[in-house]
Amino acid sequence: MAEKDMRERIKEVAVEHFNSNGYHGTTIRNIAKDVNCSLPMIYYYYNNKKELFDEIIKREYFDLLKRQTALLETNNVIDFYTKFVYDLNFLSNYDKKVYRLGIKVYLSFDGDEELMEIMDEWEKTILPRHYQILKPYLKNADNDIAIVRTLVHLLETLIESIVVKNRFLPEEEIREEISIVLRGCE
Amino acid sequence: MAEKDMRERIKEVAVEHFNSNGYHGTTIRNIAKDVNCSLPMIYYYYNNKKELFDEIIKREYFDLLKRQTALLETNNVIDFYTKFVYDLNFLSNYDKKVYRLGIKVYLSFDGDEELMEIMDEWEKTILPRHYQILKPYLKNADNDIAIVRTLVHLLETLIESIVVKNRFLPEEEIREEISIVLRGCE
DNA sequence: ATATAATTCTAACGAACGTTAGGTAGAAAA
DNA sequence: TTTTCTACCTAACGTTCGTTAGAATTATAT
């Protein structure tokens, strides 16, 4: 009915389609069919296909990432990171699909150069951020950075398992793996 | 000129295109243009687009994986896994692209259900295989399986960095991270 | 030399694509 | 009440897609 309704519904269906079929495999016609609106309706709210895709990544995905990183930290790093990962299990289906789509662009499996650059800039902030979080708990200085790097690498796979492969990861398994990497820091 | 030449050239160019543009973004016409042959030539060697894609995954990718896992193991696990990952830096461009394409299908970012099932079956063999390799070096039985799982997860990210993100990982960094996970097993 | 088979081509098919032109119906503003 | 504007539509544009029919060329076998 109202403007925002339709615009939002189009975006939701688009996330679904881009997710299942990729950018090239997604057609405006199929989106329109699932939204139950006419084809040009989509051009009424979005200038073209690419703009629709870009809005999902630039707004939805990065909003999600920022929401995610704004989580409170506890006084126990292992608890903190376990919760961080475990909570991903309970993201809404929409958020999971947006996240998945973002990772797809991040791995340059979809999207274009422009989006990749945005991803690269975000990536640069990851290591320093986690180094700040872990700093108080790291003891011996010789391999501190390697530990942070290893943890971030592990987190990447865990996130991929939940969001991309759509698996449920039990809290205990997450905790075990994070504990192995952070063994000695607590 | 000879049959095999052309068939192989088509496949090589196809790997390139599927890699850059995905299944749907790749067109037979563009492949033909880069191979410098006519369009129906591709249908002479491959029944259709999907068969061409499938051959790359089913033959090229899994051949590569099997070649990869057939590596000799040394008497030092950290050396072994470090070499295993580090050597990926020096894969041929063709092999890297095949690998990347396989991971794309593995993450169900491309391909279809049938290919996904093959991937799933392969995945089931991963943990047991590494457990066998690591078994002699694992000491305390309480979190043995978790250590293997964590290592496999770490390897996944390292492989992705090299093959998917196309980065060069220095041997020292790889060794550091593997050592952190395998701390205590040597 | 001639017949057969393998390799490659030109040309076109129908279908689907992204996109746009131009209109209708109803609400809001005048 | 008339006008203007917003939300939506039907219909079509030109292009490109996967695929094929059918013929030309080249190599092989007889």
Side-chain angles (χ1 to χ4, degrees):
Chain A
M1 312 281 170
E3 179 181 346
K4 206 170 182 188
D5 263 314
M6 181 64 93
R7 216 188 122 90
E8 222 56 26
R9 271 173 58 210
I10 290 171
K11 188 155 53 176
E12 272 169 41
V13 171
V15 166
E16 203 103 19
H17 282 242
F18 283 133
N19 220 309
S20 314
N21 310 111
Y23 181 81
H24 292 290
T26 296
T27 72
I28 308 283
R29 277 173 176 80
N30 285 337
I31 293 175
K33 197 192 291 171
D34 278 11
V35 174
N36 247 327
C37 70
S38 76
L39 201 156
M41 193 72 277
I42 285 150
Y43 287 92
Y44 184 73
Y45 291 107
Y46 301 91
N47 282 321
N48 48 50
K49 189 182 176 184
K50 190 174 164 348
E51 194 181 284
L52 177 54
F53 186 81
D54 282 9
E55 169 150 333
I56 290 166
I57 298 300
K58 286 184 187 164
R59 172 129 55 238
E60 301 293 306
Y61 175 64
F62 279 103
D63 277 4
L64 179 59
L65 279 191
K66 278 159 202 160
R67 242 181 296 146
Q68 215 62 29
T69 57
L71 291 175
L72 296 170
E73 67 182 277
T74 72
N75 50 1
N76 179 321
V77 263
I78 291 174
D79 282 350
F80 170 67
Y81 280 110
T82 302
K83 183 175 162 48
F84 179 82
V85 174
Y86 183 63
D87 283 352
L88 294 175
N89 282 311
F90 307 105
L91 279 180
S92 72
N93 273 333
Y94 178 74
D95 279 348
K96 242 183 230 176
K97 277 169 187 163
V98 169
Y99 210 142
R100 207 184 104 102
L101 207 52
I103 291 177
K104 196 168 175 181
V105 174
Y106 169 62
L107 297 174
S108 63
F109 282 143
D110 219 333
D112 58 359
E113 295 251 328
E114 188 214 346
L115 291 179
M116 268 303 296
E117 273 173 36
I118 302 176
M119 294 285 175
D120 280 346
E121 286 200 17
W122 172 267
E123 199 193 13
K124 282 180 201 145
T125 71
I126 296 177
L127 267 180
R129 192 171 58 250
H130 288 281
Y131 184 73
Q132 284 306 314
I133 294 173
L134 283 166
K135 207 188 209 168
Y137 306 92
L138 296 166
K139 288 161 184 173
N140 42 337
D142 59 335
N143 70 340
D144 276 3
I145 292 155
I147 289 179
V148 178
R149 202 173 356 99
T150 310
L151 180 73
V152 168
H153 280 163
L154 176 65
L155 292 178
E156 243 176 75
T157 321
L158 296 177
I159 292 169
E160 262 183 40
S161 281
I162 294 174
V163 170
V164 177
K165 298 186 203 152
N166 205 26
R167 307 218 171 120
F168 179 86
L169 286 196
E171 190 175 9
E172 194 46 35
E173 285 189 22
I174 300 166
R175 184 181 301 278
E176 277 179 332
E177 303 198 19
I178 290 172
S179 301
I180 285 168
V181 172
L182 292 184
R183 201 161 20 190
C185 328
E186 49 228 299
Chain B
M1 299 298 167
E3 178 183 344
K4 207 169 180 188
D5 263 315
M6 180 63 93
R7 217 190 121 89
E8 222 57 26
R9 272 172 56 209
I10 290 172
K11 189 155 52 176
E12 271 169 40
V13 171
V15 166
E16 203 103 19
H17 282 241
F18 283 133
N19 219 310
S20 314
N21 310 111
Y23 181 80
H24 288 108
T26 296
T27 73
I28 309 282
R29 278 171 176 82
N30 285 337
I31 293 174
K33 197 191 291 171
D34 277 11
V35 174
N36 247 328
C37 70
S38 76
L39 201 157
M41 193 73 274
I42 285 150
Y43 286 92
Y44 184 73
Y45 291 106
Y46 301 91
N47 281 321
N48 49 50
K49 190 181 175 184
K50 188 172 166 354
E51 193 181 284
L52 176 54
F53 186 81
D54 282 9
E55 169 150 333
I56 290 166
I57 298 300
K58 286 185 187 164
R59 174 128 54 238
E60 302 293 305
Y61 175 64
F62 279 103
D63 277 5
L64 178 59
L65 279 192
K66 277 160 201 160
R67 241 181 297 146
Q68 214 64 29
T69 56
L71 291 174
L72 295 169
E73 67 183 276
T74 72
N75 51 0
N76 180 321
V77 263
I78 291 174
D79 282 350
F80 170 67
Y81 280 110
T82 302
K83 183 175 161 48
F84 178 83
V85 175
Y86 183 63
D87 283 352
L88 294 175
N89 282 310
F90 307 105
L91 279 180
S92 71
N93 273 332
Y94 177 73
D95 279 348
K96 242 183 231 176
K97 276 168 188 163
V98 168
Y99 211 142
R100 206 184 104 102
L101 208 51
I103 291 177
K104 197 169 172 179
V105 174
Y106 170 61
L107 297 174
S108 62
F109 282 143
D110 218 334
D112 58 359
E113 294 252 327
E114 188 214 345
L115 291 179
M116 268 303 297
E117 272 172 36
I118 302 175
M119 294 285 174
D120 280 346
E121 286 200 15
W122 172 267
E123 199 192 15
K124 282 180 200 145
T125 71
I126 297 178
L127 267 180
R129 193 170 57 252
H130 288 281
Y131 185 71
Q132 284 306 314
I133 295 172
L134 283 167
K135 206 188 210 168
Y137 307 92
L138 296 167
K139 287 162 185 173
N140 40 340
D142 60 333
N143 69 340
D144 276 3
I145 292 155
I147 289 179
V148 178
R149 203 171 357 100
T150 309
L151 180 73
V152 168
H153 280 162
L154 176 64
L155 292 178
E156 243 176 75
T157 321
L158 296 177
I159 292 169
E160 262 183 41
S161 281
I162 295 173
V163 170
V164 177
K165 298 187 203 152
N166 206 27
R167 309 218 169 119
F168 179 86
L169 285 196
E171 191 175 7
E172 193 45 35
E173 284 189 22
I174 299 166
R175 184 181 300 279
E176 277 179 332
E177 302 197 19
I178 289 172
S179 301
I180 285 168
V181 172
L182 293 183
R183 204 162 17 190
C185 328
E186 48 228 300

